[in-house]
Amino acid sequence: MRVSAKADYALRALIEIANRDDGRPVSAEELGRLQEIPHGFLQAILADMRRAGIVVSQRGQSGGWRLAARPADVTIADVIRAVDGPLVSVYGLRPEAVQYNESAQILQHAWIAARSALREVFENVTIEGLASRTLPPEVEARTTDEDAWQPH
């Protein structure tokens, strides 16, 4: 899987928003400055997340962006789906919709398994966890395997 710049920037912006103790909206300019995200790109990402119900915007002098839900209720999977679409796609189709001939049918099972593995992580890591720098134990355990850190 390739994590897009959109997904990475979206998650970084949400961590900044979630880390606000006062709960006040954060301007896109400040989010971009803090995380070194290009302003125009960030505005488009925030709009995608607003359409998905992840963030809300507030106009005015004290306006900006804030989470639409509790940080504990927003997962990495929610964010990726909001800005990039499905977690796994095969030439634009969801894995269950891909058609193969009999000799290649097993590929569909591999794509389904890959999606399941991604869900195990992305649907269990929340913005709250990221903002507090903690991962669920089963996800953290995956990072203790030295091979996980090695390029292949």
Side-chain angles (χ1 to χ4, degrees), residues 100-107:
Y100 292 110
N101 67 25
E102 189 176 330
S103 65
Q105 184 60 40
I106 194 67
L107 271 176

Side-chain angles (χ1 to χ4, degrees), residues 9 21 81 90 103 126 134 148:
Y9 288 166
D21 294 331
R81 289 178 183 124
V90 181
S103 65
T126 66
T134 59

Side-chain angles (χ1 to χ4, degrees), residues 93-150:
L93 298 173
R94 293 178 185 269
E96 68 276 9
V98 176
Q99 299 288 316
Y100 292 110
N101 67 25
E102 189 176 330
S103 65
Q105 184 60 40
I106 194 67
L107 271 176
Q108 184 178 41
H109 292 253
W111 306 146
I112 296 289
R115 179 175 63 185
S116 176
L118 286 171
R119 283 177 174 170
E120 283 183 37
V121 175
F122 293 163
E123 291 182 350
N124 289 299
V125 177
T126 66
I127 299 304
E128 179 180 67
L130 294 173
S132 66
R133 299 185 182 114
T134 59
L135 295 173
E138 63 277 10
V139 174
E140 183 66 35
R142 291 176 180 266
T143 69
T144 61
D145 177 3
E146 181 149 338
D147 189 57
W149 294 88
Q150 301 304 313

Side-chain angles (χ1 to χ4, degrees), residues 38-87:
H39 181 71
F41 199 27
L42 180 58
Q43 289 284 41
I45 292 166
L46 289 165
D48 287 343
M49 290 196 294
R50 181 181 58 225
R51 281 187 290 279
I54 294 172
V55 296
V56 293
S57 61
Q58 180 177 321
R59 295 189 182 272
Q61 188 172 7
S62 60
W65 296 89
R66 57 185 171 77
L67 286 166
R70 296 176 351 173
D73 295 334
V74 180
T75 67
I76 289 177
D78 296 329
V79 176
I80 291 173
R81 289 178 183 124
V83 300
D84 285 336
L87 295 180

